[in-house]
Amino acid sequence: MIRFRQLYLSLILSLFTLASVLANPTADKVKVKNFLLKTNRTIGFAHMVVKKTKLFNGKLNKSVSHERLAKKYYNEGQLEKSLYHSSRARVLANEVIAENKAKAPMDASFTSEEQQMTSAKPSDQELDDELAKELPASVNGKDEDLMSGNLEIDIQ
């Protein structure tokens, strides 16, 4: 009888552990890389739209700068920080697309898993402050400067 209770209790605890793991997916390198790649495609689309419309408001530069910082953090193994800045970059790219009256690509939206992965992210202001601290040159960047050349956001 005691062994049955122990087995039953062990089974219940195992189910709770499994449920918590499924509810909070960890930020593994493959998931983070896929997240960044989706953001890159969204930024690429926003870049193309801005090239066409010539509506420069600074958000594209800010988006690219956040993604560059996300790439830096990814390469350093700081996966959570990478996710947070890539999320901020994708949100900004989506704003650029909407402000230019273009239809966002499917990759631009966040899946429920991606939302869970970034649910603990700092505020936009905190991320912007960190960007200014880590990449000070990005503060003075302009959308116009991005119209020719590589955006330097590719992930290897």
Side-chain angles (χ1 to χ4, degrees):
M1 182 71 164
I2 292 174
R3 286 188 187 249
F4 177 72
R5 284 186 192 163
Q6 289 174 336
L7 180 63
Y8 182 72
L9 182 59
S10 177
L11 179 63
I12 296 297
L13 289 174
S14 296
L15 288 175
F16 278 116
T17 303
L18 178 63
S20 69
V21 167
L22 292 175
N24 299 313
T26 57
D28 68 34
K29 197 152 179 124
V30 173
K31 288 180 183 177
V32 174
K33 182 176 184 178
N34 288 331
F35 189 102
L36 269 66
L37 289 171
K38 280 182 68 176
T39 300
N40 286 354
R41 289 189 293 271
T42 304
I43 292 172
F45 184 79
H47 182 248
M48 182 184 69
V49 168
V50 170
K51 262 186 168 181
K52 184 177 180 181
T53 65
K54 309 264 189 269
L55 178 63
F56 305 117
N57 62 13
K59 284 186 181 179
L60 179 63
N61 178 67
K62 197 173 200 178
S63 175
V64 169
S65 296
H66 274 286
E67 189 67 1
R68 287 176 180 164
L69 185 55
K71 175 184 170 182
K72 175 184 179 285
Y73 284 144
Y74 175 82
N75 288 333
E76 293 173 355
Q78 297 184 57
L79 301 181
E80 282 188 355
K81 283 186 169 190
S82 179
L83 273 174
Y84 300 154
H85 283 279
S86 188
S87 174
R88 178 79 172 122
R90 196 182 313 170
V91 167
L92 288 165
N94 277 318
E95 289 176 10
V96 168
I97 293 166
E99 289 168 2
N100 282 277
K101 297 179 179 27
K103 185 174 187 260
M106 289 180 62
D107 270 356
S109 62
F110 292 91
T111 66
S112 58
E113 181 182 26
E114 289 173 334
Q115 289 172 350
Q116 284 181 336
M117 289 167 61
T118 58
S119 63
K121 79 178 172 86
S123 71
D124 291 346
Q125 187 60 54
E126 290 172 305
L127 292 170
D128 291 348
D129 291 346
E130 185 176 359
L131 173 66
K133 179 182 164 204
E134 293 293 321
L135 300 176
S138 68
V139 175
N140 298 322
K142 296 184 168 126
D143 290 352
E144 295 91 324
D145 300 337
L146 301 171
M147 292 302 105
S148 61
N150 186 341
L151 297 179
E152 300 172 20
I153 58 174
D154 295 332
I155 302 295
Q156 309 316 337

